[in-house]
Amino acid sequence: LKCWTELIAFVVMGVTCSSCSVEEGCVVCTSSRESVFAEPQQASFGGPDTLLFASEHYGGLWVQQLRDVARTSRQFPDMIMMGDFGVDSDEEKALCLAVALVRIGVVHRMSVIANTGDSMMRARLAKGTLQALGAGDVPVAAGVSGRSLGGNGDFEFDCRYLASEDELDPRGGQELFFTALDNASKDGRQVCIVLNSALSDMRNVLEDARWKTLRHAVNNVTVMGGATSKAGTLVMDPLACNNFIDLAAASAVYERLSREVPFFVVSRHAAAQVQLGT
């Protein structure tokens, strides 16, 4: 891969390559392998040539590489995304990108959990965002409420597309999480878990007895957080915002996940170098 940002995107989706020097070309790195499989599933409605609509005419090399991967015979993972939607715009951007990945075909299905602050309102915002994107069938549940770096002000949810509470998944965040894992396990799929907010919900998941029996369905966990060096060893960065909100949960999650599943941390320093235009 020419750029580490592309590698992160492929890792999050569970798409990897074992070699970049194969003569016929790597489907991830060079897109030179001919497509002999069916076209990826298209969006259920028309739209302009944008990434959200994942049209065949949009995008450069990176997007085309994703399309090429989607045309292979590999089985693509599901995704569980957690976020504090409304604190700032990055979680909404993550939702937009995830919807595009589903439409391109490299993510099979998605579940969303909102947490921190007023998690019910954040879930309503996430559900409304998905409905506005034409992806209202994606289940959204409220997770743990609590401390938030956001203002929890009315301005965070001042939009015309806020979903109603009865449109949310009534099972709540933890039950939605394990339902998604169980469904993937039954289908023979794996799940990529993306954590873009406080780790309170993930700690509760790790303390649930079902985690041990369904952990095999986890492809990887990627955290928007931070790590720092202590005595030559990488440890959880207590100053990273998503860690700072619930330090006890962050410490437990980093320690457990680093031993149990493929675990990736994207720091604020990395994110600052890969900005999306608003």
Side-chain angles (χ1 to χ4, degrees):
L1 291 169
K2 303 299 188 296
C3 177
W4 70 269
T5 57
E6 294 179 0
L7 177 59
I8 289 176
F10 285 120
V11 165
V12 168
M13 293 175 289
V15 178
T16 59
C17 62
S18 59
S19 173
C20 293
S21 60
V22 290
E23 293 182 0
E24 66 270 26
C26 170
V27 69
V28 174
C29 299
T30 67
S31 302
S32 63
R33 186 174 299 168
E34 293 184 3
S35 174
V36 295
F37 300 100
E39 292 290 318
Q41 183 177 356
Q42 298 298 311
S44 59
F45 58 95
D49 290 335
T50 64
L51 179 59
L52 281 179
F53 289 96
S55 62
E56 284 293 323
H57 304 291
Y58 176 83
L61 178 61
W62 184 77
V63 177
Q64 188 56 53
Q65 288 172 345
L66 294 180
R67 293 194 191 102
D68 290 343
V69 172
R71 294 186 179 101
T72 68
S73 60
R74 72 177 67 222
Q75 189 176 58
F76 293 99
D78 294 342
M79 177 186 290
I80 299 173
M81 178 181 291
M82 295 187 188
D84 51 359
F85 307 95
V87 171
D88 46 38
S89 62
D90 57 349
E91 272 73 25
E92 280 78 7
K93 291 177 180 178
L95 274 183
C96 291
L97 182 56
V99 168
L101 295 178
V102 171
R103 289 176 178 158
I104 289 172
V106 291
V107 172
H108 180 245
R109 60 192 166 200
M110 179 169 59
S111 301
V112 175
I113 299 168
N115 67 5
T116 75
D118 188 337
S119 62
M120 184 65 68
M121 288 298 292
R122 300 201 188 286
R124 291 177 60 191
L125 178 60
K127 184 68 173 183
T129 301
L130 289 164
Q131 290 171 337
L133 297 173
D137 58 331
V138 173
V140 179
V144 174
S145 292
R147 184 182 181 188
S148 172
L149 295 181
N152 284 323
D154 293 339
F155 69 91
E156 292 188 353
F157 312 109
D158 184 16
C159 63
R160 298 179 180 179
Y161 51 86
L162 196 67
S164 62
E165 188 172 328
D166 60 11
E167 293 177 287
L168 302 179
D169 194 303
R171 293 170 292 185
Q174 190 159 332
E175 292 307 310
L176 176 59
F177 188 101
F178 281 108
T179 296
L181 278 188
D182 187 51
N183 288 339
S185 178
K186 290 176 180 177
D187 291 348
R189 292 183 183 275
Q190 289 197 306
V191 180
C192 298
I193 301 170
V194 181
L195 307 177
N196 293 328
S197 55
L199 299 176
S200 311
D201 286 89
M202 193 65 209
R203 177 180 59 179
N204 291 345
V205 165
L206 295 177
E207 293 175 349
D208 192 303
R210 291 172 291 181
W211 170 255
K212 185 175 181 180
T213 60
L214 289 170
R215 188 176 61 199
H216 67 275
V218 176
N219 181 286
N220 66 79
V221 179
T222 299
V223 175
M224 181 62 196
T228 187
S229 178
K230 182 177 181 180
T233 302
L234 286 177
V235 296
M236 184 270 295
D237 181 2
L239 298 181
C241 289
N242 290 336
N243 296 342
F244 178 78
I245 296 172
D246 189 341
L247 277 176
S251 297
V253 168
Y254 275 61
E255 195 277 330
R256 284 280 303 272
L257 291 182
S258 62
R259 293 187 289 108
E260 297 182 1
V261 296
F263 180 50
F264 304 96
V265 178
V266 181
S267 76
R268 61 191 182 279
H269 307 294
Q273 300 300 315
V274 191
Q275 298 185 27
L276 292 176
T278 56

